[in-house]
Amino acid sequence: MAPSVNEPPARNWADDDDDVELDAANEATLGLPETVTVEQPDGTRVTTLWKINDDGKKVKVVRKTRMRLIKSQVNHAVAERKNNWKKFGEVAGIGAGPDSNSTSFAEKVFLKLSSTVKDHDAPPVEEEGDSLKKALAAAAKSKISCRICQGDHWTSKCPFKDTHTPLGDLGNNEAKDSGSDAGAPAGGAGLGAGGKYVPPSLRNRGPGEAMPGSGSADRRDDFPTLRITNLSEDANDQDVKDLVSRFGHTSRVFVSRDRETNVCKGFAFVSFYQKDDAQRALEKLDGFGYDNLILHVEWAKSSRD
Amino acid sequence: MRPILLHGHTRSLTKVKYNRDGDLLFTVSKDAKPNVWFAHNGERLGSYDGHNGAVWDLDVSYDSKRLLTASADNTCRLWGVESGKELFRWNTRTAVRQVAFAQGDRMALYVTDATMGQPSTIWVVAIEEDLENQSDEFERKIIINGPKATVASWGDLNKTIYTGHEDGTITIWDAETGEKIKSVKSHDSVISDMQWAPDYGYFITASKDHTAKIFDAKTLRVMKTYTTQRPVNSAALSPIRPHIALGGGQEAMEVTQIGGAKQGKFETRFFHLPFEEEIGRVKGHFGPINTLAFAPDGRSFASGAEDGFVRIHYFDDDYFEFNYEEESLTA
């Protein structure tokens, strides 16, 4: 706990602990060149030191450091505490700065905030019936109602948001239709009002509805979207999310799955908030080897084109 | 971000708390030695030596001069924050679970456990500016008939006292008369934490029933519910973003060696306050997180866990830039 004898008393807390050990090692092994610190014109400091490593070989260590002074204004009470208060209790008498016995830096951790976090600890399959009941009960109580299918989720999370327009814009028949089969893939809603076949390009258009792109409901479709193909069968939403989230925030990650087997069908759509992020993702991921397949990435064509 | 790891405790953490300025972080654990740290670099300023049992709770005065600690050694103690000296001691018959300064720091409450035939009791005591006059007499005593109180705090303007109980009930007491004003049972299990919004309009509770809830302070109506798959030990409200942080994880006694840290879900989980959706999580602890606190400026948070470590996390810049699609549309 007490500082070692040869340790300079005014050691900066930010110094790496290894330095002390290296210095000690230096003194022990005579004949090595001395540690040299050179101040560079650009403000960086280059420290060169020599040591003997575990295999008995001479090693040169060059360490470049840049010091940056960050000033911040604080309340005078805070400054008083920081500058004048003496340590007490278990740490009484120890010099200023964090003691390496009680304070250290942990491994880097990441907090990527995103609206598409998937819950890994969803209950396992055997509890499915139970959790379904709970979900249904919760749905009955919940006041959240999707504007598109009136399901128990936010409108932006609706599985039909790309294919349907909000219910208010449609005939009542259609409303019941799509509302009742919530959960089935969007393709199930192929029959329009009156059971007449409607070509996909014209589906979900109520009378007098605005052309795509002009309505406010279409705004979320404007996010730049990539289509990733040649995905591995094992890929799930989280994998794809991990893969693309390093390029920027994503508004949507969708991995196409087989209806029966729930296995990935080999392609996915990813929408970014920023076009630049999408562009970078496209450049970096196209041709990227992933799970022994080579990904193919291209701009997704809008479903309305 | 690179967390600062504080290992000044030898046993599991029970509470971490920032002072009002956010420059000091107080931590208490079951090892009987409260610690105080500089929050900006993790330097330990000192320890408050004297307790002989687990320390369950702490509170620090508004001017950061005095510290109250609640301990299982049947004492509640008042300390000088700078000196580390014990200034006063209240002896109790049972373990002290909770302690809180009232706004203005002229009063404090502490809650004693229901053991050895004693009922769970809230004690309100006056805190004198001049310690010469400090008395160990209580001002008021509220005996809790029924399930024992696990969390307690003052309501707005010290008019009320809020308690959370073992069975999931939340009760409001009149601080003047000691009468029960309202009682609502919205949780199914022990309430493990309760933290106020800055304006005292609402508060958040964490419970072992795997949920955290936001309550309207006046009506005790549940406004939001955040559901997880593990007991929630602590819930904190961000002072600047519409985010909450939940800490918890599998009970320490149920953790198997084979499962390891991965299975226990020992992560700090961030939820979006109005949307009730999870937006991110921070890994790092090896045991359930017992206590969480946001720094008053909202730019960092500290977590204390069953593994005996405290971690201070300073958010990266992108934390402050994150917005929901819906949020950015209105902005």
Side-chain angles (χ1 to χ4, degrees), chain B residues 14-18 25 193-195 232-237 244-248 267-270 285 289-295 301-305 311 313:
Chain B
T14 49
K15 193 83 166 184
V16 299
K17 208 172 221 171
Y18 285 93
L25 178 68
D193 193 17
M194 172 171 171
Q195 297 194 18
V232 186
N233 295 334
S234 190
L237 294 155
I244 62 154
L246 301 186
E267 294 159 318
T268 307
R269 301 169 59 153
F270 285 81
H285 281 294
I289 293 168
N290 287 337
T291 167
L292 280 174
F294 271 102
F301 75 97
S303 57
R311 297 164 77 95
H313 309 74

Side-chain angles (χ1 to χ4, degrees), chain A residues 1 13 75 77-78 80-82 84-91 95-123 144 154 156-157 161 219-220 223 249 251 273, chain B residues 1-7 19 21 23-24 33 36-38 40-49 63-64 81-84 229 243 265 269-270 274-275 277-283 311 313 315 318-319 322-326 329:
Chain A
M1 180 154 300
W13 67 270
N75 187 325
V78 175
E80 158 84 23
R81 286 198 279 269
K82 188 179 171 318
N84 299 338
W85 282 21
K86 297 273 178 303
K87 292 190 175 177
F88 57 86
E90 266 188 359
V91 289
D99 178 10
S100 58
N101 281 320
S102 60
T103 307
S104 59
F105 280 103
E107 300 253 306
K108 261 193 167 178
V109 294
F110 299 96
L111 173 61
K112 266 272 180 232
L113 295 189
S114 143
S115 51
T116 51
V117 170
K118 286 285 172 290
D119 200 346
H120 299 287
D121 21 285
I144 302 165
W154 301 100
S156 61
K157 295 277 149 62
K161 69 172 177 177
R219 232 186 316 180
R220 61 177 65 88
F223 289 119
H249 291 306
S251 72
Y273 284 113
Chain B
M1 53 194 174
R2 191 125 192 242
I4 305 175
L5 196 60
L6 311 180
H7 31 114
N19 66 340
D21 300 305
D23 64 323
L24 298 179
K33 275 206 178 123
V36 57
W37 314 75
F38 283 120
H40 72 285
N41 63 359
E43 175 180 356
R44 178 149 70 151
L45 178 59
S47 64
Y48 301 91
D49 303 347
D63 58 7
S64 306
V81 170
E82 179 180 359
S83 63
Q229 273 73 43
H243 298 163
K265 318 288 183 220
R269 301 169 59 153
F270 285 81
F275 291 159
E277 282 184 325
E278 182 169 353
I279 49 175
R281 44 178 76 180
V282 175
K283 285 190 274 197
R311 297 164 77 95
H313 309 74
F315 292 117
D318 61 351
Y319 168 82
F322 168 76
N323 268 323
Y324 257 66
E325 207 177 311
E326 289 81 355
L329 286 178

Side-chain angles (χ1 to χ4, degrees), chain A residues 26-175:
Chain A
N26 249 354
E27 280 164 24
T29 48
L30 295 168
L32 289 175
E34 285 194 9
T35 304
V36 189
T37 305
V38 185
E39 197 103 16
Q40 299 289 105
D42 62 351
T44 56
R45 288 161 71 172
V46 179
T47 307
T48 313
L49 55 93
W50 298 81
K51 61 168 183 172
I52 309 281
N53 71 4
D54 293 345
D55 303 336
K57 287 180 182 153
K58 201 158 98 172
V59 183
K60 180 182 178 186
V61 182
V62 180
R63 200 172 278 146
K64 285 187 187 170
T65 48
R66 181 199 292 272
M67 306 268 258
R68 199 154 54 109
L69 189 66
I70 301 172
K71 284 189 183 172
S72 63
Q73 285 206 325
V74 294
N75 187 325
H76 67 87
V78 175
E80 158 84 23
R81 286 198 279 269
K82 188 179 171 318
N83 297 327
N84 299 338
W85 282 21
K86 297 273 178 303
K87 292 190 175 177
F88 57 86
E90 266 188 359
V91 289
I94 294 182
D99 178 10
S100 58
N101 281 320
S102 60
T103 307
S104 59
F105 280 103
E107 300 253 306
K108 261 193 167 178
V109 294
F110 299 96
L111 173 61
K112 266 272 180 232
L113 295 189
S114 143
S115 51
T116 51
V117 170
K118 286 285 172 290
D119 200 346
H120 299 287
D121 21 285
V125 185
E126 62 265 25
E127 293 173 25
E128 197 169 16
D130 193 35
S131 67
L132 196 69
K133 262 182 233 157
K134 273 190 203 149
L136 282 174
K141 269 189 257 167
S142 169
K143 292 185 195 75
I144 302 165
S145 159
C146 171
R147 272 184 284 126
I148 297 168
C149 69
Q150 297 200 325
D152 171 34
H153 47 247
W154 301 100
T155 308
S156 61
K157 295 277 149 62
C158 182
F160 305 114
K161 69 172 177 177
D162 295 322
T163 48
H164 286 51
T165 47
L167 280 175
D169 300 349
L170 297 170
N172 282 338
N173 273 347
E174 172 83 338

